[in-house]
Amino acid sequence: MQVPLIRLQCGVNSYEWGKKGSESAAARFAAATPSDNLSIQADKPYAELWMGTHPSNPSKDLTTGRTLLDLCAENQLLLSESVASKYGSKLPFLFKVLSINKALSIQAHPNKKLAEQLHARDSKNYPDDNHKPEMAIAITPFEGLCGFRPLGEIAHFLETVKPLRTLVGESEASQFVQAAKQEGGDEAAKKKALQTAFGGLMSSSPEDVDRETASLVKLAESEGADFAAGGVSSTKGAVLAELVTRLNGQFGSDIGIFVLFFLNFVTLQPGEALFLVADDIHAYVSGDIVECMAASDNVVRAGLTPKFKDVSTLVDMLTYNYAPIDEQKMTPTEYPYATLNRNAYSSGSSVMLYDPPIEEFSVVRTLLRGEGAKATFDPLEGPSIVICTGGKGTIAVGPTKQEIQEGYVFFVGSTAELVLESAVGQDEEFTTFKAFCEI
Ligand SMILES: NNC(=O)[C@@H](O)[C@H](O)[C@H](O)COP(=O)(O)O
Ligand SMILES: [Zn+2]
């Protein structure tokens, strides 16, 4: 039986934080595929390109117009027996490109148990009963807030940023600082003190937030590099001052600006990645990324957004784990199930695997340099989606070969032997990302 290679037409979601018009990689990639209902408007934000079977924006077979969801329901072999029997006749993952102009909401994604409860209680705001662990891989330089800072850093800010301490509350702040400074000590008590301090911040009244935001911005503008007593080693005062003024420029007075002092501020260079387990607090700030997640669109939000906020659920659901920035990043490894030809080998091409500790997805980034560089992938017992984010070449499964260039997206059925070959100039790159599930 011929294993299918299906060119997909993918939808793009216009959330307010997306880059505008063709500035948006999500818009450019979507527009690379013929469509009778997508014309990119210069002043419209295009946030997310969705690739997959999620019913909120299912990708379609470009040739027939049928949804990938229908095709998988009709023929589970596209997914493989093992994947279909465990996850049903749909992809276990949702694959996206995000193009970020303004900060996303302060958010977390519920674990499976909480997702089922939230979905049962409020399916409008929580459309899925599934968890949503997610991985982000930078296509351009990226900034994000993710995971709670080491407690000593938060204590430093509570002692040096008066508007923050005022919103957290004097007793909550002093209790936290005391707990944070204890050598060793009881982990559970420290997490409780963190939850109390964070909960104190998040329960601030709008009037207090307005008043303290004005004071915070004034301090940031007047103190510059000395802001927050020069900041901490991972985030210097000048960086914090710029972020405060930037977020204030984007959202006006907003509690989310103060969350900056509780969360790690992470920058990723292209190819770097981070992984967020369910219930991990985060807010992406800028850049273009490829994102892969379990098949769910559940977002619990608490700030920096005009969308529905559910602050008490967010404060209650978080794990209150805390760790330095580097523990938030993921380290890719060389993918052992692909063979490079001589051209690829000599031009320094690479096939890197991003493999988070969950079953639903992994992602491979293939970077082929120069004409005729080729990567041949061992057959997978599971489905894949491939997107080209730069350059051009060909994509082949058995005797079927198609052109592929920036923005093109393909579904590759289970057991396919996939071949990617570059058609770019000597010192140019043909870059693809492939999300897949194999269990
Ligand atoms: N961290 N990234 C994600 O979770 C994306 O997949 C989500 O779709 C966005 O976070 C949604 O953000 P808003 O709800 O529009 O603020
Ligand atoms: Zn998220």
Side-chain angles (χ1 to χ4, degrees):
M1 182 198 74
Q2 173 53 31
V3 178
L5 173 66
I6 302 172
R7 174 104 187 262
L8 295 178
Q9 181 189 68
C10 301
V12 56
N13 289 344
S14 281
Y15 305 146
E16 210 177 281
W17 49 261
K19 287 184 183 174
K20 291 200 176 8
S22 297
E23 293 274 302
S24 164
R28 288 198 309 276
F29 292 172
T33 301
S35 150
D36 45 19
N37 57 11
L38 176 70
S39 65
I40 305 300
Q41 295 155 46
D43 60 348
K44 186 174 176 183
Y46 296 91
E48 302 190 348
L49 177 76
W50 280 31
M51 301 170 276
T53 54
H54 194 287
S56 303
N57 202 339
S59 304
K60 293 178 182 160
D61 174 346
L62 177 61
T63 314
T64 65
R66 299 192 63 200
T67 67
L68 183 59
L69 186 59
D70 284 350
L71 296 178
C72 291
E74 221 166 71
N75 175 8
Q76 295 198 343
L77 290 178
L78 292 174
L79 302 165
S80 81
E81 278 299 319
S82 49
V83 169
S85 59
K86 175 140 191 199
Y87 292 99
S89 47
K90 62 185 187 317
L91 284 174
F93 56 82
L94 177 54
F95 198 25
K96 298 182 181 178
V97 169
L98 273 65
S99 205
I100 306 166
N101 177 45
K102 288 184 0 177
L104 276 67
S105 54
I106 299 287
Q107 61 183 247
H109 306 292
N111 60 34
K112 187 97 179 81
K113 185 162 167 283
L114 179 59
E116 286 162 357
Q117 293 163 358
L118 293 173
H119 179 67
R121 182 182 92 195
D122 177 1
S123 60
K124 174 174 168 292
N125 287 304
Y126 300 106
D128 296 284
D129 62 359
N130 194 18
H131 67 163
K132 187 179 179 282
E134 68 189 22
M135 175 168 73
I137 307 171
I139 300 175
T140 68
F142 162 88
E143 296 172 313
L145 299 173
C146 75
F148 284 105
R149 291 175 178 278
L151 303 190
E153 293 189 5
I154 301 171
H156 170 86
F157 293 128
L158 286 171
E159 289 177 322
T160 59
V161 182
K162 184 84 184 71
L164 174 71
R165 192 180 184 100
T166 303
L167 289 185
V168 166
E170 185 49 44
S171 68
E172 293 87 344
S174 48
Q175 268 173 35
F176 173 82
V177 171
Q178 197 183 355
K181 291 193 168 172
Q182 255 181 7
E183 283 304 314
D186 170 0
E187 259 318 282
K190 290 188 176 199
K191 287 186 177 181
K192 190 72 197 123
L194 175 56
Q195 178 167 15
T196 307
F198 185 69
L201 172 70
M202 298 312 287
S203 59
S204 304
S205 70
E207 300 71 28
D208 289 354
V209 173
D210 289 350
R211 188 189 62 246
E212 297 310 327
T213 299
S215 316
L216 185 75
V217 171
K218 216 175 271 150
L219 280 174
E221 285 171 345
S222 60
E223 296 183 346
D226 297 333
F227 180 55
V232 292
S233 56
S234 64
T235 324
K236 293 293 179 204
V239 173
L240 281 162
E242 189 280 327
L243 279 166
V244 163
T245 48
R246 191 191 331 169
L247 293 176
N248 178 246
Q250 293 177 358
F251 295 91
S253 157
D254 192 298
I255 191 71
I257 301 173
F258 293 87
V259 176
L260 178 62
F261 299 99
F262 277 80
L263 303 190
N264 289 304
F265 177 61
V266 183
T267 54
L268 299 181
Q269 293 310 314
E272 288 192 310
L274 56 86
F275 175 65
L276 291 157
V277 292
D279 301 339
D280 261 359
I281 185 169
H282 58 287
Y284 295 171
V285 174
S286 74
D288 295 344
I289 57 172
V290 158
E291 195 183 46
C292 202
M293 62 212 72
S296 170
D297 190 29
N298 284 337
V299 186
V300 182
R301 303 178 190 86
L304 301 181
T305 184
K307 292 182 178 178
F308 168 73
K309 289 191 278 282
D310 193 350
V311 179
S312 57
T313 297
L314 184 101
V315 172
D316 292 346
M317 68 186 276
L318 297 178
T319 57
Y320 292 97
N321 292 327
Y322 50 88
I325 284 183
D326 285 346
E327 288 184 30
Q328 306 291 339
K329 290 188 177 180
M330 268 190 84
T331 309
T333 55
E334 203 166 317
Y335 184 58
Y337 307 110
T339 311
L340 292 177
N341 70 350
R342 188 193 302 274
N343 292 33
Y345 207 73
S346 57
S347 64
S349 303
S350 62
V351 187
M352 298 303 282
L353 171 67
Y354 299 79
D355 190 21
I358 51 138
E359 187 179 75
E360 285 96 328
F361 63 87
S362 299
V363 173
V364 163
R365 182 186 74 154
T366 304
L367 210 159
L368 293 173
R369 276 206 184 91
E371 184 78 37
K374 184 158 62 168
T376 303
F377 294 79
D378 296 357
L380 274 180
E381 192 62 37
S384 303
I385 286 191
V386 177
I387 181 168
C388 174
T389 58
K392 59 181 179 176
T394 57
I395 180 170
V397 167
T400 312
K401 182 183 268 196
Q402 295 203 35
E403 302 289 307
I404 180 172
Q405 62 185 56
E406 186 174 295
Y408 285 26
V409 184
F410 288 87
F411 172 79
V412 179
S414 175
T415 72
E417 186 190 83
L418 175 68
V419 180
L420 293 169
E421 182 164 1
S422 163
V424 293
Q426 206 39 42
D427 47 10
E428 292 176 327
E429 290 171 349
F430 165 46
T431 306
T432 57
F433 288 87
K434 180 177 76 149
F436 66 94
C437 174
E438 188 178 37
I439 54 177

